[in-house]
Amino acid sequence: MDRTEELAVGRRLLGHIDGRTTDLADSLFRNRVIAYSCRERARLERDRLFRDLPMFMGLSTRLAKAGDYLTEDVAGMPVLMTRGADGSVKAFANVCRHRGAPVAEGCGNARAFTCPYHGWTYDLAGKLLGTTDKVGFAGVDLARHGLVPLPAAERHGMLFVRPKPVQPGEEATLEVDAGLGPIAADLAALRLDTYPLFSADRVAPRINWKFAIDTFLEGYHIPHLHRKTIAPYFIGNCGTFDSAGLNGRFCVARTSIDTVRGVPEAERSFRPHVIALYQLFPNTILIWQVDHIEIWRAFPGRDDPGRSDVELTIYKPANTTRPDSYWEKNRDIAIRTVMEEDFPLGERMQIGFESGATEEVIYGRNEPSLVHFHSSIRRALGIPA
Ligand code: FES
Ligand SMILES: [Fe+2]
């Protein structure tokens, strides 16, 4: 967030605190509970949201230098991302052209990838360098059997991939700025490329993936559900929301924001007192936590709308002098709050959704980020509002 934006958001938050108000959606939103439990709907979401759109894959520092690679199965597509000798980021289906084994596992640094099954070798640009039995595979044109490219991009210190192969006549470079709209500049100002990864945790809660995202999109529950953990540090049910196409930015104030009141307006620094949550549609919440970056990604579980795979990553500043114990503490707070408070309750809610007891859930006008998220989903799926 740049300085002008920081002052504007700070002013809005102070105004809300004074008036006991919050940013409001135009109207409340009723969503059918089957959005969280129906198999048909889950299939549609997988095809339209998780295969057709750019997926956030992590900060650029995950692929800091030439030869760095990472792998991940993204909603059923095995993905391999690399940084080539020329510094560019590329992505491929992590599927060997011989018989389909993954050519790389985990993450690391490599000059080439050798398939573990029969030893075919690919370079960082996905080119098939050679097969192992020259006689057995005589006639196989190496140039036509490289790894299948997926469109990829590196923008504002973030990595993106579209988990659907590059189509004929299509560029291998993804366009993401247009989709990010006005928050692109905001994200650029965060200098995300200066934050290396500190930790990565994965869980598989028994909740629909959308609930894992919902939990970050309103501060209404903070004084209630989190009264023993983070509630003392935040002003509940109070926030600003700005939409950016399908994406959005939701800001909440720490209780410490009151200390700026004694400072002349132009000299105020809101940065230590405001948490900004960037909603990168469809499945990522990037949280600017003042001195570090916390990122949550949620993926639909395989074949079950009531399950998801959720990843928490913490990125610390490159130039920090703080000991690892400090970042460990931040990771613990995030895990305790979300995985021990939000998700366990969410699992109970998922049972409620699947019980058929109620037909709808209601997102209030005081939950504009939630309203926007679910409106965006309907828009992206082509479902009438
Ligand atoms: S499946 Fe990769 S070399 Fe056989
Ligand atoms: Fe929560």
Side-chain angles (χ1 to χ4, degrees), residues 5 12 27 40 59 76 91 123 146 161 174 189 199 207 211 213 215 236 294 306 343:
E5 206 44 29
R12 281 161 71 190
S27 54
E40 209 46 54
L59 299 188
D123 72 7
V161 70
L174 262 184
S199 63
I207 53 178
F211 179 81
I213 299 298
T215 197
E294 173 184 323
F343 288 179

Side-chain angles (χ1 to χ4, degrees), residues 211 214-219 221-222 225-226 229-230 337-338 341-343:
F211 179 81
D214 289 351
T215 197
F216 296 98
L217 298 183
E218 43 91 4
H221 74 285
I222 293 177
L225 182 61
H226 301 311
T229 46
I230 57 168
T337 312
V338 176
E341 294 182 347
D342 292 293
F343 288 179

Side-chain angles (χ1 to χ4, degrees), residues 39 42 46 51 73-78 204-205 207 209 299-309:
R39 278 173 198 279
R46 179 174 288 249
R51 286 292 171 79
D73 285 359
V74 180
M77 175 62 74
I207 53 178
W209 72 274
F299 295 91
R302 226 184 153 112
D303 304 324
D304 184 354
R307 287 189 185 276
S308 53
D309 294 303

Side-chain angles (χ1 to χ4, degrees), residues 96-101 103 115-120 122 132:
C96 180
R97 294 297 301 276
H98 174 217
R99 279 172 53 203
V103 301
C115 180
Y117 206 177
H118 312 90
W120 287 24
Y122 301 85
T132 35

Side-chain angles (χ1 to χ4, degrees), residues 55-61 81 83 89 152-161 176-177 180 183-184 186-188 190-193 278 280 284 286 295:
M55 292 283 125
F56 172 88
M57 295 291 286
L59 299 188
S60 289
T61 50
M81 273 192 115
R83 188 178 296 280
V89 162
E154 179 177 32
R155 287 299 287 155
H156 313 302
M158 300 178 287
L159 303 170
F160 295 90
V161 70
V176 291
D177 265 353
L180 291 173
I183 58 169
D186 222 47
L187 288 163
L190 298 181
R191 302 283 325 276
L192 294 169
D193 58 347
Y278 294 89
L280 303 176
T284 299
L286 185 153
I295 300 174

Side-chain angles (χ1 to χ4, degrees), residues 201-216 221 225-226 296-298 308-312 334-350:
D201 292 275
R202 277 195 173 244
V203 283
R206 210 198 157 298
I207 53 178
N208 182 268
W209 72 274
K210 295 188 292 301
F211 179 81
I213 299 298
D214 289 351
T215 197
F216 296 98
H221 74 285
L225 182 61
H226 301 311
W296 294 85
R297 295 192 302 154
S308 53
D309 294 303
V310 179
E311 182 196 69
L312 159 67
I335 288 179
R336 272 216 318 277
T337 312
V338 176
M339 297 189 192
E340 294 176 17
E341 294 182 347
D342 292 293
F343 288 179
L345 187 65
E347 293 192 344
R348 299 295 305 154
M349 290 157 65
Q350 185 71 33

Side-chain angles (χ1 to χ4, degrees), residues 112-327:
F113 302 103
T114 302
C115 180
Y117 206 177
H118 312 90
W120 287 24
T121 309
Y122 301 85
D123 72 7
L124 292 165
K127 191 171 148 228
L128 178 59
L129 297 173
T131 65
T132 35
D133 187 318
K134 303 274 181 287
V135 177
F137 292 91
V140 170
D141 180 0
L142 299 187
R144 293 185 50 229
H145 289 82
L147 296 173
V148 172
L150 305 172
E154 179 177 32
R155 287 299 287 155
H156 313 302
M158 300 178 287
L159 303 170
F160 295 90
V161 70
R162 191 195 68 197
K164 185 163 91 180
V166 174
Q167 303 295 297
E170 191 186 27
E171 293 280 327
T173 311
L174 262 184
E175 160 51 44
V176 291
D177 265 353
L180 291 173
I183 58 169
D186 222 47
L187 288 163
L190 298 181
R191 302 283 325 276
L192 294 169
D193 58 347
T194 62
Y195 291 83
L197 182 70
F198 172 71
S199 63
D201 292 275
R202 277 195 173 244
V203 283
R206 210 198 157 298
I207 53 178
N208 182 268
W209 72 274
K210 295 188 292 301
F211 179 81
I213 299 298
D214 289 351
T215 197
F216 296 98
L217 298 183
E218 43 91 4
Y220 180 32
H221 74 285
I222 293 177
H224 306 281
L225 182 61
H226 301 311
R227 81 184 164 274
K228 293 196 186 128
T229 46
I230 57 168
Y233 309 107
F234 290 97
I235 302 193
N237 203 18
C238 175
T240 62
F241 174 68
D242 296 278
S243 71
L246 298 169
N247 308 292
R249 187 192 66 200
F250 173 44
C251 295
V252 292
R254 290 170 177 263
T255 37
S256 60
I257 196 170
D258 264 338
T259 57
V260 306
R261 291 183 191 273
V263 179
E265 180 141 2
E267 293 162 32
R268 288 177 176 176
S269 172
F270 287 100
R271 293 190 74 155
H273 314 294
V274 174
I275 304 289
L277 293 91
Y278 294 89
Q279 187 199 333
L280 303 176
F281 191 81
N283 70 331
T284 299
I285 303 289
L286 185 153
I287 310 175
W288 182 64
Q289 286 276 22
V290 184
D291 61 2
H292 66 284
I293 308 286
E294 173 184 323
I295 300 174
W296 294 85
R297 295 192 302 154
F299 295 91
R302 226 184 153 112
D303 304 324
D304 184 354
R307 287 189 185 276
S308 53
D309 294 303
V310 179
E311 182 196 69
L312 159 67
T313 45
I314 304 270
Y315 293 77
K316 63 179 187 178
N319 56 7
T320 184
T321 53
R322 290 186 187 274
D324 277 359
S325 56
Y326 175 82
W327 308 107

